[in-house]
Amino acid sequence: MKTKFLALALSLGLLISSCSNNDDPITVPETAPLTGTESVVVGGTTTFSSTTPGGTYSSGTPSVATVGATTGVITAVSVGTSIITYNVPGSEIVTRTVTVTATPAATGEITGPIEADKTYAYGNYTLKGIVKIKAGVTVTFEAGSTITIDKQNGDNALVVLKGAKLITKGTADKPVVFTEKSKLPGSWGGIIIYGDAPVKVAGGGASSTSEDGNNISYGGTNATDNSGSLVYTRVEYAGSKLADGNKENNGFTFYSVGSGTVLDHLVSYKGADDGYEFFGGTVSMTNAISYGNTDDAFDWQDGWQGQANTNWFAYQTEKGNYGMEIEASANDNSYGPKVTNITLKRDANNIPEQSDNQVDAFQFKREGNGEYSNIIIDGYGNFTDPANTTFKGSAVRIQDDATNTHQVNTGKIKLLNVKITNTTNVLPIGATDLIVVAFPAGNFTQSTTATGASLTTGAWCTVDGVDLLSKK
């Protein structure tokens, strides 16, 4: 009897085990695959979709491509690939890879005059001739664009006439670059801008004629005039004479430009004259580099009075004159500019352009004045010319008696928090022994803690693989 019960128990166990092993597995509903264009350029969009509704999208690498959670619209951010995932609750997850490629560079030739608004997309362009932007016209260059000039074509420059605007939309990693094919200083006329802000020229007049070869009248009445916005922009190998101009041009030349104009993160590289020159006006400039220009790093006249200038760095190599040449066209005045955070450095092998006495960091003449603070001056030592005449390099030189009497003695020149190294004359000197320079108390102060210009490196200030700020 016991044997029968045991057999029955075993049979029931086997039956239960057999029923358990025959249960069907749980199945997950299928999600229809993602469809859509898999390749898109930076800045563009594409869309992935599925016929299975109710899901959400996500991007595996949002730094390359983002995606709308419910729309499937993909926005390309940077070059690379990203896996796009579509997740329907209770259904299987499906994926698809999107590839982001670089925006193709546009090409074309830029000639003038430009008489209608024009935007140049990211690209590689050639500029030919003296290209003038007419009044009322706005010309825009997108980030990363390179504009190449060839001096073999004759005189070349980009000229923004009064009432016109130039806008460059460079970024730290994608600057707008104007360069010249031969890479020789003095190969073109650079960027020249005319505004409508006030000037005070020699003799006290409110206007004059440009010396750039264009022979254009400059000087206006609108202190806040807007000639555009130059941002993260580099000019290379400028400094040529145009037409019958009586002076070489600069990397950037500003005639009566107003304070509504933006000048920020600019580089003037290896030109044959000044890095930057202001002829009157009220515009200010921030985050500027003057590198390897054969005349002055920064220069102005005609009553320039920009008040919000900061972070100026000059490195003078091979040939180069004053770090700053400051004058007011012989007009006694009280409206001089203000510049904070300045670094002026001269390479040990630098010689003045004409092998003469232009070996000073700051030179004030013809009633030039202004307030300058947090300054580093380095390397303005003596220079001995081929005839064995020695010129004494100085931190500050006052060139004429009128400037000393009207500007220094009355407190209109201030140099504050100045750190000076490798410079022959640390204290301000006169151009001759007859000019005795004695700044009022507190108007010339030295410091060992001055920091000078504060700039962040990037492609905007890297030329042929060389970081220009490495010399800072």
Side-chain angles (χ1 to χ4, degrees), residues 260-278:
T261 308
V262 174
L263 306 176
D264 180 59
H265 283 94
L266 306 182
V267 177
S268 181
Y269 179 81
K270 290 194 175 181
D273 201 73
D274 302 324
Y276 306 84
E277 186 161 9
F278 300 85

Side-chain angles (χ1 to χ4, degrees), residues 7-200:
L8 178 61
L10 288 173
S11 298
L12 290 173
L14 289 173
L15 178 62
I16 293 170
S17 175
S18 175
C19 290
S20 175
N21 289 338
N22 288 334
D23 284 348
D24 293 332
I26 297 173
T27 58
V28 178
E30 291 186 358
T31 300
L34 291 175
T35 60
T37 303
E38 295 179 313
S39 181
V40 62
V41 299
V42 172
T45 62
T46 187
T47 301
F48 283 177
S49 63
S50 169
T51 57
T52 303
T56 57
Y57 297 88
S58 62
S59 172
T61 314
S63 61
V64 171
T66 61
V67 63
T70 58
T71 64
V73 175
I74 299 164
T75 301
V77 178
S78 62
V79 174
T81 60
S82 180
I83 296 175
I84 305 300
T85 298
Y86 184 60
N87 186 358
V88 179
S91 298
E92 66 176 359
I93 296 172
V94 293
T95 64
R96 192 178 181 123
T97 300
V98 64
T99 300
V100 179
T101 58
T103 303
T107 59
E109 184 176 86
I110 302 170
T111 58
I114 301 177
E115 299 179 317
D117 290 356
K118 173 70 175 178
T119 295
Y120 291 94
Y122 158 69
N124 299 312
Y125 301 94
T126 58
L127 184 146
K128 187 175 182 180
I130 301 175
V131 177
K132 295 179 180 179
I133 305 173
K134 292 295 191 72
V137 174
T138 298
V139 171
T140 303
F141 288 95
E142 296 291 353
S145 295
T146 298
I147 300 90
T148 302
I149 297 93
D150 186 348
K151 68 177 183 177
Q152 298 302 319
N153 293 327
D155 288 344
N156 304 279
L158 181 58
V159 181
V160 184
L161 298 176
K162 184 169 73 173
K165 291 181 181 179
L166 173 62
I167 297 175
T168 56
K169 294 185 175 181
T171 63
D173 60 340
K174 296 178 181 179
V176 175
V177 178
F178 293 81
T179 190
E180 199 279 329
K181 186 177 179 180
S182 71
K183 296 189 176 184
L184 296 174
S187 293
W188 69 296
I191 294 176
I192 304 169
I193 301 180
Y194 291 86
D196 191 35
V199 303
K200 194 170 185 180

Side-chain angles (χ1 to χ4, degrees), residues 240-262:
S240 71
K241 291 183 178 181
L242 302 178
D244 61 350
N246 56 21
K247 190 176 184 293
E248 294 167 325
N249 287 290
N250 314 287
F252 295 86
T253 306
F254 306 110
Y255 285 99
S256 57
V257 175
S259 63
T261 308
V262 174

Side-chain angles (χ1 to χ4, degrees), residues 298-318:
F298 304 94
D299 188 359
W300 58 87
Q301 57 186 290
D302 294 344
W304 175 58
Q305 48 191 300
Q307 298 294 297
N309 306 281
T310 190
N311 291 327
W312 288 12
F313 168 56
Y315 185 73
Q316 297 178 278
T317 180
E318 299 178 22

Side-chain angles (χ1 to χ4, degrees), residues 196-230:
D196 191 35
V199 303
K200 194 170 185 180
V201 302
S207 65
S208 188
T209 301
S210 65
E211 62 180 36
D212 59 354
N214 289 305
N215 297 318
I216 295 174
S217 177
Y218 65 94
T221 58
N222 182 6
T224 61
D225 186 46
N226 181 355
S227 295
S229 174
L230 276 61

